[in-house]
Amino acid sequence: MAKAKARAKHIIVSSEKKANEIVEKLNKGSSFEAMAARFSCCPSAKDGGDLGEFVKGEMVKSFDKAVFSGPLNQVLGPVKTQFGYHLIKVTERWD
């Protein structure tokens, strides 16, 4: 049986405070991709935070749970992992 897949973008920062500051900017109309390029400490920042496609279970548990249970095209988070605090935008999800 094939696993569910998703495509998502994320912004990862080292503190919940910084993540919440970015959420405020996003809520005021800033582009997710621009905020990823400016603030994310992930190599995906150069691609606007785009992580591409991945299957359920491929990412760390709390990140995976948010991606596969949260709404599409909305900012999810901050989601804490061992890597930092993620803001996630799921653009596609399919089985």
Side-chain angles (χ1 to χ4, degrees):
M1 186 171 159
K3 288 189 175 185
K5 290 183 180 180
R7 175 180 291 275
K9 300 175 181 185
H10 80 146
I11 299 168
I12 184 168
V13 294
S14 60
S15 75
E16 188 173 17
K17 180 177 186 272
K18 186 62 170 177
N20 286 322
E21 288 171 3
I22 295 168
V23 168
E24 286 182 30
K25 292 176 189 290
L26 293 168
N27 288 341
K28 291 178 181 173
S30 292
S31 140
F32 192 93
E33 296 75 15
M35 294 292 97
R38 183 170 175 197
F39 295 109
S40 185
C41 60
C42 179
S44 68
K46 67 181 178 4
D47 298 318
D50 191 359
L51 295 170
E53 291 179 14
F54 50 91
V55 297
K56 189 172 189 176
E58 190 175 340
M59 300 294 189
V60 296
K61 194 169 188 172
S62 56
F63 187 96
D64 205 63
K65 183 178 178 184
V67 166
F68 288 96
S69 65
L72 292 176
N73 297 307
Q74 292 184 28
V75 177
L76 309 174
V79 174
K80 187 180 189 312
T81 71
Q82 68 264 39
F83 303 107
Y85 292 85
H86 304 257
L87 300 175
I88 306 164
K89 186 175 185 180
V90 182
T91 57
E92 293 181 87
R93 196 169 38 227
W94 59 98
D95 291 327

